[in-house]
Amino acid sequence: MPSNEPVLDGLARFAAEAPARPAAILAETGETLDYRRLHERSARLARFLAARLEAGEVVAILLGNRLEYFELTFAARRAGLYYVPISTHLTPGEIDYILRDSGARILLTETALRPWAERSAWPAPLEEVLCIDAEDPVEGAASYRALVEADGPVPPLPDRPLGLDFAYSSGTTGRPKGIKHKLEDQQLRKALAGDWLSFFAFDPASVYLSPAPLYHAAPLRFSVRCVAFGGTVVLMRRFDAEGALAAIARWRVTHSQWVPTMFIRLLALPAERRAAHDLSSHRLALHAAAPCPLEVKRRMIDWWGPIVWEYYTGSERAGATAISAPEWLAHPGSVGRAKQGVLHIVGDDGGECAPMVDGLVCFEGGPSFAYHNDPVKTAETHTPQGWGTFGDIGHVDAEGYLYLTDRRANMIISGGVNIYPQEAENLLQDHPLVHEVAVIGVPHAEFGEEVKAVVQLKDPALAGASTAQQLIDHCRAHLSAIKCPRSVDFATDLPRTETGKLLKRVVRDRYRALAAPASQP
């Protein structure tokens, strides 16, 4: 494949046309990375990486939200490498697992996050650790500052395919799995060049607010896409509700991306503080990653207007749907119609389901993907027809709008009946007493599992038997009894990923551990 520069990486052109245009801005400080600096520094780092690694090999990035993330990401892309973004909240053991499993040979990180004090502790096949802020390089490593600030002309880019992210799942339903696409997959290139994202209209005038950690797939991919099209990313070090509104006003943000937890925190701000910020530049607010309670979505549309769009896809990129605010108001609860791939709902018999009948959500014609080192998992996420799935259950209406019911992995089997807890969860989340809720299956001697709600109340002082019964009654007024919690427990906090995904696996595992028989001495 010829040089990748003109296709999806216009840094050299933007650096020549508008060298001082900001590629990225740190919201809290105003620190700016312009296109000239990003082009030159990432090109030098790309040559360094390409001299050590063949096309298609792996580097890992362990970094907080800082401007250097863009230098590292675009360097890996330009060097034709896979880059693995790693969460800064993982333990050293979890980081070791991802480095070993991915086969990363170089780790790009910062001093405060470096997991090991000694080189002898590095997991194989890691060969080099490059700390971007180190005054003295790590033993055996080059100096990042010396590399990217070297004198002389900008080196030519390696003649390689454009590199790709190699994302690991968040582990909401099990151990994280690496999701890998072929570098030269033409279906994927078509998707990345435009396809379903084209109607989000990134261009050099776009200013995209990214309030979430870049080590998650969606924030990183949208940020990279914005810069690749010549726009500006306004990056928040960490999400703060009022800080996000201030960033929209200060930097004249045009595009943004959120998760429902952020919406809830924005809506919790006093009305006068919400009204204090000029949001008139804001023309598209995307959300995804987790189910959004209906009332929360309605309130956001009432506040921000018809700019609130939702999309549904996954790190696997198997397919995608999207829905505008006007469409959603006509089809509340839907995640839209297919924008990438052909949507199919597949029943237990392998056949296609009729409208309004739940089945496995699948996409035909999307880019191919595989779970790294896990052919069994890869096979499980493809139907005999070759259609890909994210493992979600849902149905379509007569107009082809998709409604998600739940993840297949969250299914509860009680007395032989399959129960998807998302329906009860949605009902409880909209209850005025409830802040957050997880509906899970817990062991039951007779039925195998029973439905339990674990609830975080807005007012913890109300926790008790009468409130529990009130919540159960609320569910039974809207759902069949089999789908409703038989019991309610109260919690002061529920585990979530940084992007707002509820870690049901963690909640469920706690109850399974409590129910497990004690080991014998």
Side-chain angles (χ1 to χ4, degrees), residues 484-505:
C484 296
R486 294 171 61 90
S487 60
V488 175
D489 285 359
F490 297 101
T492 56
D493 192 23
L494 289 173
R496 287 184 178 271
T497 67
E498 297 84 357
T499 56
K501 288 184 180 179
L502 183 65
L503 286 166
K504 282 191 181 180
R505 170 181 54 82

Side-chain angles (χ1 to χ4, degrees), residues 173 348 358-360 391-393 405-414 416-422 425 439-442 448-451 504 508 512:
T173 58
D348 291 340
D358 278 340
L360 187 65
D392 293 321
I393 302 297
T405 305
D406 210 333
R407 288 194 61 82
R408 181 167 54 176
N410 291 333
M411 185 174 69
I412 300 166
I413 304 176
S414 182
V417 177
N418 294 348
I419 301 166
Y420 292 99
Q422 192 67 57
E425 221 164 69
V439 177
I440 60 171
V442 296
E449 288 185 299
E450 72 172 25
V451 183
K504 282 191 181 180
R508 190 169 55 237
R512 289 179 179 172

Side-chain angles (χ1 to χ4, degrees), residues 7-8 77 162 164-165 181-202 221-222 225 228-229 313-320 339-341 364-368 390:
V7 182
L8 287 170
R77 284 162 58 87
L162 194 71
L164 285 173
D165 63 81
H181 298 82
K182 294 179 181 178
L183 289 184
E184 300 188 67
D185 184 334
Q186 294 307 306
Q187 281 290 99
L188 177 61
R189 293 301 171 190
K190 178 184 175 185
L192 296 179
D195 216 18
W196 79 274
L197 288 175
S198 61
F199 64 91
F200 292 148
F202 280 130
R221 288 173 180 173
F222 273 84
R225 183 180 181 83
F229 278 76
T313 187
S315 300
E316 297 85 348
R317 296 186 172 106
K339 301 296 182 182
Q340 177 191 310
E364 175 187 2
S368 62
F390 306 123

Side-chain angles (χ1 to χ4, degrees), residues 98-388:
I98 290 176
L99 291 172
R100 287 194 304 271
D101 188 70
S102 66
R105 291 179 53 198
I106 296 177
L107 173 65
L108 306 166
T109 187
E110 54 187 302
T111 305
L113 296 175
R114 194 174 68 223
W116 328 274
E118 303 293 336
R119 182 177 183 134
S120 59
W122 295 1
L126 190 65
E127 297 173 356
E128 190 158 2
V129 176
L130 194 60
C131 287
I132 63 168
D133 57 346
E135 293 296 331
D136 299 308
V138 177
E139 178 190 354
S143 163
Y144 181 81
R145 187 173 301 168
L147 280 173
V148 298
E149 296 178 358
D151 294 329
V154 179
L157 295 174
D159 188 19
R160 292 179 173 183
L162 194 71
L164 285 173
D165 63 81
F166 177 6
Y168 272 69
S169 67
S170 57
T172 55
T173 58
R175 197 164 195 182
K177 295 293 183 186
I179 301 160
K180 208 167 189 181
H181 298 82
K182 294 179 181 178
L183 289 184
E184 300 188 67
D185 184 334
Q186 294 307 306
Q187 281 290 99
L188 177 61
R189 293 301 171 190
K190 178 184 175 185
L192 296 179
D195 216 18
W196 79 274
L197 288 175
S198 61
F199 64 91
F200 292 148
F202 280 130
D203 59 31
S206 300
V207 181
Y208 172 67
L209 177 66
S210 186
L214 287 179
Y215 51 71
H216 285 293
L220 180 58
R221 288 173 180 173
F222 273 84
S223 294
V224 166
R225 183 180 181 83
C226 181
V227 172
F229 278 76
T232 298
V233 174
V234 176
L235 181 66
M236 297 185 73
R237 282 177 170 160
R238 60 187 58 83
F239 173 71
D240 172 77
E242 190 156 15
L245 297 179
I248 294 173
R250 179 181 180 186
W251 305 110
R252 309 308 295 154
V253 165
T254 60
H255 296 61
S256 61
Q257 183 165 197
W258 315 83
V259 296
T261 300
M262 295 176 182
F263 283 167
I264 291 168
R265 293 177 184 173
L266 286 163
L267 290 167
L269 291 172
E272 63 274 13
R273 287 165 62 187
R274 285 193 273 143
H277 303 279
D278 178 6
L279 308 184
S280 59
S281 63
H282 201 194
R283 65 173 190 260
L284 183 62
L286 311 174
H287 76 94
C292 187
L294 299 186
E295 186 57 29
V296 168
K297 178 102 173 235
R298 287 193 183 96
R299 290 178 64 194
M300 288 304 302
I301 294 172
D302 288 343
W303 177 14
W304 284 357
I307 69 169
V308 181
W309 282 62
E310 182 172 1
Y311 69 92
Y312 165 69
T313 187
S315 300
E316 297 85 348
R317 296 186 172 106
T321 69
I323 189 166
S324 67
E327 286 179 294
W328 186 89
L329 291 171
H331 302 269
S334 173
V335 293
R337 292 192 281 193
K339 301 296 182 182
Q340 177 191 310
V342 179
L343 178 62
H344 299 278
I345 306 297
V346 178
D348 291 340
D349 61 358
E352 197 141 2
C353 295
M356 307 308 293
V357 176
D358 278 340
L360 187 65
V361 179
C362 301
F363 291 91
E364 175 187 2
S368 62
F369 67 90
Y371 291 99
H372 187 56
N373 292 335
D374 198 336
V376 173
K377 172 80 169 174
T378 301
E380 288 174 348
T381 52
H382 291 81
T383 68
Q385 301 95 322
W387 304 338

